[in-house]
Amino acid sequence: MTGGSACDECLARSWLLGRLAAHLDVERGRIIALLDLGEEDLIRAVAGRDAAAVRAERLAFDAGAYRERCADAGLGLICRCDAGYPSALWALPAEPAVLHVAGQLPRLAALTAGEGVAIVGARRASPYALEAARSLARGLGRAGVTVISGMASGIDAAAHEGALDARGASIAVLPAASQRPYPPAARALHGRLIAAGAVVSELGPDVAVRRWMFPARNRLIAALGAMVVVVAARRRSGALLTAELAQTLERPVGAVPGQVTAPLSWGPHALIKRGAFLVTEPADVLEVLFGSDGVPVAAGPGPAPAAELQPLYEALADGHAPAEAFQQAGLDTVRGLAALAALELGGFIHRRPGGHFSIAG
Amino acid sequence: MLARVATFAIDGVQPRQVWVEVDLRAGLPAFTIVGLGDTAVRESRDRIRAAILNSGFKFPDGRITANLAPAFLRKAGPGFDAALALGVLAASAQVPAAALAGYAVFGELSLGGELRDSPGALAVAEGARRAGCARLIVPRSRAREAALVDGLGVVAVPSLRAAADVLSGAKPPPLPDADPRHSGPRQAPDLADVRGQQAPLLALEIAAAGGHNLLFEGAPGTGKTMLARRLPSILPPLSRAEAIEVTRIHSVAGVHADGLINSRPFRAPHHTISPAGLAGGGSPPRPGEATLADHGVLFLDELSEFQRTSLDALRQPLEDGHVTIVRGQRSLRFPTRFMLLAATNPCPCGFAGVDDRCSCGEVELRRHRRRLSGPLLDRMDLLVDVRRPSDEELRRPPLTDSTQAAARVAEARERQRRRLAGTGAACNGEMDVRLVGSRVALQEGAAEELGRAYRSGLLSARGRHRVLRVARTVADLGARDRITREDILLALSLRQRTGAELTVPS
C-alpha cells in the first residue's frame, strides 16, 4: 500500500489534532465545536502555555516525513481536497481533513460512493441484541449495503461480523491509528475488515487513543451512514450520541426494539418514541433507503429446510424453546432432537447458550 | 513374657496385617510403643492403662514394650487400642495367651474400657479372612458390617472386659442383628418426581445405559440437581462384590457405619472442594469424593465454579478408573470408577436463553466458556439443556418412573455386555477408539449423516467418536443391531460442545 496524495495543508491539520490530543481531552465537553475551529483559533483555544511551542512545531511540520510514516504503517491517505474523499463527510460541520485508511483506497472510495448503514450499540450487550445486530448486518451485507461501525466489542463487532459473514462490505471507524486494532482483542476482526472492507481514522498512526476521540469518531460514523440503526444502548451512551448526530445531519435513524424492562433497551425505545424507524429485519432498513420497491438486490430467502423439518423450523422461528417447538411440530422428544440436529447440520439454526436456538440468516 | 495379637492397619482402603507384639519384663515401670505409629497410636498408652484398670484388671508393673510389626508400615488411628490392651493382658497372664491364636482384634478403647466405634471394620474383616484368622473381635457397633464377610466368626463385644471373657472361654454375645442385608437402602429419589423435562430424562437414561458422562446446562432452579440425584435410581443394581467394595470404602472414610450399602453412591461435593478432597490425599492419605463415588455417581454442580486445580485432579481418576497417591516412599491406589455428572449455568448470571434476562457481556460469556473448556469437558459425552418445565407440564403426570427406566437401562446394558464380552469394556462409554472401530456398525444413512456433520466442521475427530459411542447406546436402548440415521441425529443433538463448539460459529 502506498501513501495517498493528501495535500500538505490537510496533513498538517491532522497532525495538529494529534499534537493537541492531550489539550483537547481537557476540553472534551465541547469537542465538536472545537474541531470546527481553524488552526490558529484551535491553538489559542486549547494550547494554553504550549501555544508558542505548538506554533513553532507547526511551522516546522514536514508533510513528506508524515506521508512516509503513514506508508510505513501501511496506511493510505485521502484528504478533503481529493476527488475520492467520501462526499458524505461534507455534511459535517467539522469534516475530517484526512482519512488514514488501512485497506485499499479505491475500495473505500467505491464503498463510500454506494449505500452504507451505520449499526451502533452497547459494548456489553445481551445475546439477543448481539444476534439482532449480526443478523441485521448479514441481511444488509447480502443486499450489498455497506455496514459502518466502530469495531468496539459487543454490538459494533457483531455488526461488522454479520456483514463480513454474508460476504458483504464493512467499514470500521477507529478513534486513532487505524493500522492497529482497537480494542486490541479485535485483532481477527481488524484483519478481516482490512481484507474485505476498510478501517479508517481521522488521526495518524502514532496518536494514542484518548477519550475525546470517541465522540469525534462517532460523528464520522453518523455521517458515513445513509442511516443509523441503534441496536442496544443504555441511557447516555455513545451510540445515542451517534444517533443524535445523525438526526442533526438529517440522516434517518432506526432502532431495534428490545425487552422493555432491560436497561439496554432504553436507548432504542427512546429513539422509537421520538419517531425513529422501528427496525426488526433488514428489509425495514432497505425500505427506508430505497423505498418499498427499490430494493437493489433481493435479500431473498436462502435454501429452505427439507419438508419434514419445516414445522419444527417454523416453531423455532416463532421463538419457541425446543421442548415447546417439538410439541407444536407434533414430534416426540427423540424425533424432535434428531430433527433439531438435522436443522443444525443444515446450517438453518444455531445453538445459543442456554439451549436456545436461533434462526440463521 | 511375650504375647502376639493379630490386627489390621488400613492402607488407603485396603487392609494390611499388623502383628501387635507385647513384651513384659521386670524393670522400671515403662510402656513404650514402637513401629511407626502416629500421635493417636502414641496416645493409646494412656487410654490402654486407664481402660485396663477400669475394666477391673491389673496394669502390670514392669517394662512393657509393644511393637507394631511390620515396622516399616505407617500406622494411624486408634484402631490398635484393643489389640494392644489384649496383648498387655495376655503378656501379664490375665487372659490366656494361647486363646488369642486364631483371633484378630480391632477397635478403639475408651478410658472406661468400652470398645468404641471404629471406621474400617469391613476392610479389617476382609483382611482377617484373607489372613486365615478364624474369628475377629470388633466393637458391637461394627458387628453387622464385619459380618458381611463370609466364613469369619465375628465376635462383637461392648467392652475390653467382655473381650477378655470370651478369650477366657465365655460364650460370645449374639450378633446385634441376624441378617445385615435387611438394613435395606434408604428410599432413593425416583424419576416419578420429575415433571416435564423430556430431553433431560432421555439424556439421563442414555447416560445410565451407556455409562456416559453427562453435562446439564441450564438456568438456576430449573431442576438440574433434582434430575442428577435420580440417576442412581436407574443405574443397574450393585453386584454383591461391588456393594462390599462400596461399603468398605465408605466405612474406611467414616461416612457409613451400618450394614451393607445396597444403593449406588451419589456424591455431590461443593465447588469449593480442594484437589485432595476431590481425588484423595492428605496424611495419612484418605479417599476423596472421587473414590467415595466409586461404582456410583459423582455430581459436580456449578462446574465452572470449581477450581481449575481440583478439576485437573480428576483427570487420572476419569481416565484410569483409579487414583494413585504418593506419600513419602509409598504409593497408594484408590478406585474411582464413577459416572461423572456435571451441571453448569449457561452464562455467569445463569439466565442466557431465558427470555431476555441475561445481562452478561460478551467478555464474561467468553470467560465462562473458557473456564468450562478443558480436559474435563473432553470426557463429557452428553450435553443437555435443562429448562423450567411449563405450567402445563407441571400439571401432567410424570413421563416415566425409575422402575421402568431402570428396566430399559438393564436391557441395554445386557446387549452391551454380550457385544463387548472379552474386550475389557463393560459398556459403550468405556469403548476406546479401536473398539468403536470394530464393534460399532452403522446403517448406510447413518454413516452418511455422520460424514456430513464431520465435514461441516460441527464435529472434531474426538467429538465424532463421542457421537458414535452415544449413538451405539441409543441403538441399544432401541434394541437395534445397527445404528440408524435417527440414532446418529439424536446423538448429534445431545453432543457435548466444548470450547469453540460450545459457541456459535461467527
Side-chain angles (χ1 to χ4, degrees):
Chain A
M1 271 174 272
T2 55
S5 59
C7 69
D8 292 3
E9 277 303 305
C10 290
L11 290 180
R13 165 82 189 182
S14 179
W15 166 85
L16 182 65
L17 288 179
R19 174 65 183 83
L20 293 174
H23 302 91
L24 284 165
D25 216 27
V26 180
E27 304 281 342
R28 63 176 175 274
R30 51 184 186 122
I31 187 66
I32 304 293
L34 285 174
L35 290 175
D36 203 16
L37 295 179
E39 280 188 17
E40 182 50 38
D41 291 341
L42 183 62
I43 294 175
R44 209 176 302 135
V46 299
R49 268 180 300 173
D50 297 335
V54 173
R55 279 190 199 101
E57 284 174 48
R58 164 69 184 87
L59 283 176
F61 173 69
D62 180 354
Y66 191 90
R67 284 196 188 89
E68 234 168 79
R69 169 71 191 107
C70 289
D72 283 350
L75 293 177
L77 295 170
I78 188 164
C79 84
R80 53 192 164 185
C81 312
D82 288 329
Y85 186 77
S87 53
L89 293 177
W90 286 111
L92 286 169
E95 77 287 348
V98 181
L99 290 182
H100 301 74
V101 183
Q104 292 166 21
L105 280 178
R107 192 195 298 132
L108 176 69
L111 291 181
T112 50
E115 292 295 344
V117 167
I119 300 179
V120 293
R123 288 189 171 80
R124 287 162 44 95
S126 65
Y128 157 80
L130 290 173
E131 178 54 25
R134 200 174 279 127
S135 87
L136 183 62
R138 264 198 300 260
L140 293 175
R142 213 174 284 139
V145 173
T146 304
V147 171
I148 299 146
S149 195
M151 219 174 90
S153 55
I155 298 297
D156 285 16
H160 288 303
E161 281 165 5
L164 294 172
D165 286 349
R167 297 178 185 281
S170 188
I171 299 174
V173 186
L174 295 195
S178 47
Q179 83 280 11
R180 278 197 303 259
Y182 186 91
R187 201 170 52 227
L189 178 58
H190 186 252
R192 286 178 77 190
L193 280 164
I194 291 176
V199 184
V200 306
S201 170
E202 181 176 7
L203 293 161
D206 299 316
V207 179
V209 173
R210 289 182 185 271
R211 289 170 69 182
W212 66 267
M213 296 172 190
F214 291 95
R217 171 277 295 275
N218 288 351
R219 84 191 200 282
L220 303 199
I221 294 177
L224 281 174
M227 175 177 182
V228 171
V229 180
V230 177
V231 177
R234 283 164 225 274
R235 223 173 166 135
R236 283 196 290 276
S237 62
L240 284 185
L241 287 178
T242 308
E244 260 165 51
L245 260 162
Q247 274 164 337
T248 57
L249 298 175
E250 297 187 342
R251 305 266 197 271
V253 170
V256 176
Q259 208 186 13
V260 290
T261 48
L264 273 172
S265 315
W266 193 91
H269 292 166
L271 289 170
I272 291 167
K273 283 182 222 162
R274 279 187 270 135
F277 292 98
L278 194 149
V279 174
T280 59
E281 54 178 349
D284 295 335
V285 173
L286 297 176
E287 196 180 317
V288 175
L289 291 181
F290 306 106
S292 52
D293 39 30
V295 176
V297 182
E308 73 268 21
L309 300 175
Q310 199 69 42
L312 178 63
Y313 181 73
E314 278 164 17
L316 289 170
D318 285 346
H320 289 292
E324 298 158 33
F326 296 164
Q327 215 180 341
Q328 286 226 329
L331 296 170
D332 62 27
T333 308
V334 171
R335 287 182 26 235
L337 285 170
L340 211 53
L343 282 173
E344 203 185 351
L345 282 183
F348 298 110
I349 55 172
H350 293 308
R351 185 183 178 276
R352 302 266 167 234
H356 174 75
F357 283 83
S358 67
I359 300 299
Chain B
M1 190 178 169
L2 181 69
R4 267 159 63 95
V5 186
T7 187
F8 290 84
I10 291 162
D11 193 25
V13 291
Q14 297 295 339
R16 294 277 288 263
Q17 187 164 30
V18 168
W19 284 103
V20 174
E21 301 169 326
V22 180
D23 178 73
L24 172 66
R25 57 190 59 238
L28 285 174
F31 186 9
T32 49
I33 299 177
V34 296
L36 275 192
D38 70 350
T39 312
V41 171
R42 243 172 315 171
E43 287 173 353
S44 69
R45 288 178 305 183
D46 300 321
R47 280 194 298 275
I48 290 164
R49 182 192 304 274
I52 285 179
L53 292 171
N54 287 328
S55 300
F57 295 107
K58 189 171 154 299
F59 195 80
D61 295 327
R63 185 176 178 77
I64 307 169
T65 309
N67 179 36
L68 305 175
F72 67 86
L73 182 70
R74 286 202 174 275
K75 291 139 200 111
F80 305 102
D81 288 3
L84 280 163
L86 285 174
V88 168
L89 292 179
S92 55
Q94 298 182 76
V95 300
L100 273 168
Y103 271 95
V105 181
F106 175 71
E108 177 187 337
L109 283 176
S110 73
L111 295 187
E114 291 94 26
L115 247 63
R116 291 172 49 94
D117 185 28
S118 314
L122 177 57
V124 169
E126 286 181 298
R129 208 230 357 236
R130 231 175 291 154
C133 301
R135 279 176 294 276
L136 171 68
I137 296 179
V138 290
R140 272 193 90 69
S141 60
R142 294 281 168 170
R144 295 193 302 171
E145 189 183 317
L148 292 171
V149 176
D150 299 321
L152 181 74
V154 172
V155 180
V157 291
S159 65
L160 182 62
R161 179 89 236 176
D165 288 348
V166 170
L167 289 173
S168 306
K171 205 167 126 39
L175 290 182
D177 192 357
D179 188 0
R181 267 156 292 188
H182 283 169
S183 69
R186 274 160 298 159
Q187 194 54 46
D190 194 290
L191 285 182
D193 307 331
V194 180
R195 295 291 186 279
Q197 308 285 23
Q198 287 101 325
L201 283 174
L202 180 67
L204 213 52
E205 198 170 311
I206 294 172
H212 302 291
N213 299 324
L214 167 64
L215 175 67
F216 284 136
E217 196 180 294
T222 46
K224 303 187 290 279
T225 308
M226 187 214 188
L227 284 159
R229 287 201 179 275
R230 281 151 182 79
L231 175 57
S233 71
I234 60 169
L235 286 170
L238 285 171
S239 69
R240 170 90 182 163
E242 286 171 340
I244 295 255
E245 192 172 341
V246 169
T247 309
R248 172 174 6 108
I249 290 168
H250 284 238
S251 164
V252 167
V255 294
H256 170 81
D258 201 21
L260 186 69
I261 298 178
N262 270 325
S263 51
R264 292 191 178 263
F266 179 87
R267 303 295 299 184
H270 189 251
H271 58 71
T272 51
I273 193 169
S274 68
L278 204 48
S283 187
R286 283 169 50 82
E289 290 291 334
T291 299
L292 290 174
D294 190 37
H295 294 303
V297 176
L298 181 65
F299 176 51
L300 304 182
D301 202 0
E302 308 288 359
L303 185 63
S304 62
E305 301 293 323
F306 279 81
Q307 294 167 38
R308 231 326 131 74
T309 47
S310 298
L311 295 182
D312 279 349
L314 278 182
R315 279 166 77 166
Q316 195 207 1
L318 274 168
E319 262 156 51
D320 304 342
H322 62 80
V323 61
T324 310
I325 290 165
V326 180
R327 287 286 178 278
Q329 276 98 52
R330 297 182 332 101
S331 73
L332 280 175
R333 182 186 269 216
F334 291 116
T336 58
R337 283 145 304 180
F338 54 84
M339 257 181 79
L340 181 62
L341 199 56
T344 177
N345 290 336
C347 65
C349 80
F351 288 105
V354 183
D355 308 325
D356 202 16
R357 274 172 74 185
C358 175
S359 57
C360 300
E362 190 73 340
V363 180
E364 285 158 332
L365 278 175
R366 215 173 295 153
R367 191 177 311 129
H368 181 76
R369 284 176 201 137
R370 202 171 41 228
R371 292 196 66 157
L372 274 184
S373 60
L376 192 67
L377 263 204
D378 234 27
R379 294 258 138 202
M380 310 296 297
D381 294 327
L382 295 159
L383 163 74
V384 69
D385 303 302
V386 183
R387 300 177 73 97
R388 216 165 53 118
S390 70
D391 177 43
E392 192 198 337
E393 282 171 332
L394 284 177
R395 275 183 274 115
R396 262 182 296 179
L399 297 160
T400 184
D401 65 40
S402 290
T403 317
Q404 293 171 17
R408 292 190 292 265
V409 166
E411 209 168 297
R413 284 259 175 159
E414 177 57 25
R415 292 179 66 86
Q416 293 168 49
R417 198 186 56 72
R418 282 201 303 269
R419 186 173 53 249
L420 296 170
T423 62
C427 55
N428 292 333
E430 291 176 9
M431 289 193 295
D432 57 15
V433 175
R434 193 178 46 80
L435 278 179
V436 170
S438 63
R439 306 278 159 142
V440 175
L442 291 157
Q443 278 186 0
E444 210 164 285
E448 206 173 286
E449 200 67 58
L450 187 66
R452 205 148 69 90
Y454 189 64
R455 282 191 302 277
S456 74
L458 282 175
L459 280 183
S460 63
R462 204 177 280 144
R464 185 175 166 278
H465 266 109
R466 280 198 292 259
V467 166
L468 273 171
R469 282 199 297 256
V470 172
R472 185 55 260 173
T473 304
V474 174
D476 281 327
L477 279 168
R480 290 182 286 277
D481 284 330
R482 296 174 85 86
I483 295 173
T484 64
R485 179 170 169 272
E486 281 68 34
D487 297 335
I488 286 283
L489 282 173
L490 181 58
L492 277 169
S493 200
L494 294 172
R495 79 185 186 280
Q496 190 265 111
R497 302 139 208 246
T498 40
E501 285 176 78
L502 202 70
T503 71
V504 181
S506 59

